[in-house]
Amino acid sequence: MADSAAPRAFPWPVVLFDLDGTLVDSASDIAEAVNRLLAELGHAQVDEATVRSWIGDGARQLITSALQHAGETQTVDAVMPRFLRHYEDCLLLDPQVYPGVESTLQALQAAGVRMAVCTNKPAQFVPPLLDALGIDGYFDAVLGAGDLPERKPHPLPLLHLAEGFGVDIAQCLMVGDSAADAGAAIAAGAPLVLVSYGYRRDFDLHGCGARAVIDRFDQLLELR
């Protein structure tokens, strides 16, 4: 664990965090929601590892992947309302904050770092999840899919948050786990740190120009 004095020298005044795969492991709940939809449509269940490989680009892409995998002919638009009902029902079944997340957020907050969540999770589900996990109080802003016309990897969500904080995007560290996070940060001009334990799929974490790839969340406090 980093020295508790470390965040006093933290290089960025604002940190923008991805949610699923970065702060929270919600894959089992998402997998349950997907499987409930597939069962409703008359298809076989899929394992959690398969669903993990579909997470990261938002609910529409997740369901697009699931429907293609199942050979379902209905469109995403046709089944999305049903999926979102399952998503809501499964949201709080067993989400887990990754090790070191809360203590690190606490240390950053104590050092005066302002923080936001920037996620492709449907916006209506983000505050209830953060509240249930007891980490909502660390964030000055929360931005989910549907809050803006674009989502990651488009730079708009990051630029919008930077504007809200009144700082240049170069002063906002983006912390994520996926190609969508990296793409948004690079397009926006934000410094980027990636975690190795999330839902990276086949994305090359080390080859995208991130300032660091960390194996533990509390290694954020060691950045200089």
Side-chain angles (χ1 to χ4, degrees), residues 30-44:
I30 295 172
E32 177 64 21
V34 169
N35 277 319
R36 289 185 186 187
L37 175 67
L38 290 175
E40 193 175 274
L41 296 174
H43 298 296

Side-chain angles (χ1 to χ4, degrees), residues 30-108:
I30 295 172
E32 177 64 21
V34 169
N35 277 319
R36 289 185 186 187
L37 175 67
L38 290 175
E40 193 175 274
L41 296 174
H43 298 296
Q45 306 279 285
V46 295
D47 59 29
E48 184 178 313
T50 299
V51 177
R52 281 178 180 267
S53 75
W54 299 336
I55 296 173
D57 290 328
R60 287 186 62 85
Q61 187 55 51
L62 171 73
I63 295 308
T64 296
S65 298
L67 296 181
Q68 289 174 347
H69 178 86
E72 173 60 51
T73 57
Q74 290 191 68
T75 66
V76 174
D77 288 334
V79 304
M80 185 58 68
R82 296 156 77 178
F83 172 68
L84 291 177
R85 287 195 293 273
H86 294 308
Y87 202 139
E88 183 175 14
D89 290 342
C90 297
L91 184 68
L92 303 179
L93 291 179
D94 191 34
Q96 302 291 322
V97 177
Y98 284 111
V101 164
E102 186 160 11
S103 61
T104 301
L105 295 178
Q106 186 176 39
L108 290 171

